Amino acid sequence: MNQKKRMILIVGMILMLVSLACNLSLQDGKLSIPITLKEDTIKQIISTAQSAAASQGEKLPLIEVEDIEFVEPDRIVAKGQYQALGGQRLNGQVELKFSVVNDQPKVEVTAINIPGVDLASDAVKKVNEALSKVIRDQVNQAGEGAVIKSITVEADALKILVEVTVRR
């Protein structure tokens, strides 16, 4: 075997081992990349979405998420302290549902247990949009042309499966 063929074989084996170790798979020229978002990352996403909604003039209580409960297959419940507009601190929770629509992430508040906050308000709609955008931005870091194939909730994380076309 000549040197060039041996090098190609070695590189191919290294790529195969890396893909197995990183839980990546390559099929039909498409690389599947799982992205795992743990509790701390989800807290950051919620905080970023709040900031985005507030920058658009929306008035919602400031959420200080203390705990995330993962509810399979597609929901999380964020529990914590909420500072009401008058400054009073209240316990409360928000349930978020995750899905994929037209290869784009969709996050929506499906239940809210915070006094004075209406689920159908424009502010909640803006938070839904901001949450979806933050997830979309996270996925775009996987590379140009990344397509979201699924979003699922497992015991301790939110899992996003992204597919990227490999150019030859």
Side-chain angles (χ1 to χ4, degrees):
M1 186 182 291
N2 68 27
Q3 178 115 2
K4 185 176 180 182
K5 286 183 181 180
R6 189 175 308 180
M7 187 59 84
I8 291 172
L9 180 62
I10 291 171
V11 169
M13 289 178 68
I14 290 171
L15 285 174
M16 184 176 74
L17 289 173
V18 168
S19 70
L20 289 173
C22 296
N23 202 16
L24 303 176
S25 66
L26 182 64
Q27 187 173 22
D28 298 327
K30 297 182 189 263
L31 182 64
S32 294
I33 304 168
I35 298 172
T36 301
L37 303 177
K38 297 280 191 175
E39 184 171 342
D40 287 341
T41 305
I42 292 172
K43 286 178 181 177
Q44 290 174 345
I45 288 170
I46 291 171
S47 177
T48 301
Q50 285 184 110
S51 297
S55 72
Q56 296 178 17
E58 297 302 330
K59 293 181 180 164
L60 281 173
L62 178 62
I63 301 168
E64 293 178 32
V65 179
E66 296 169 351
D67 184 45
I68 300 284
E69 178 184 346
F70 296 91
V71 183
E72 294 181 32
D74 61 359
R75 297 177 194 276
I76 65 164
V77 177
K79 301 175 183 177
Q81 293 282 314
Y82 301 85
Q83 186 169 339
L85 298 176
Q88 181 183 11
R89 296 182 61 76
L90 308 167
N91 288 326
Q93 67 183 34
V94 174
E95 181 182 87
L96 304 169
K97 180 180 180 192
F98 297 84
S99 60
V100 177
V101 177
N102 297 326
D103 296 330
Q104 295 298 317
K106 180 178 180 186
V107 184
E108 63 183 313
V109 176
T110 55
I112 193 161
N113 182 8
I114 302 171
V117 179
D118 180 16
L119 187 60
S121 72
D122 285 340
V124 171
K125 290 176 187 171
K126 296 261 176 141
V127 168
N128 290 342
E129 292 168 10
L131 285 166
S132 296
K133 183 181 181 319
V134 170
I135 297 266
R136 191 169 41 252
D137 291 346
Q138 289 275 325
V139 169
N140 287 340
Q141 292 179 11
E144 186 179 313
V147 176
I148 300 172
K149 299 312 278 181
S150 67
I151 300 177
T152 57
V153 174
E154 295 182 2
D156 64 346
L158 182 69
K159 303 272 183 158
I160 303 171
L161 183 62
V162 177
E163 191 175 82
V164 179
T165 301
V166 178
R167 294 185 179 105
R168 296 176 190 220

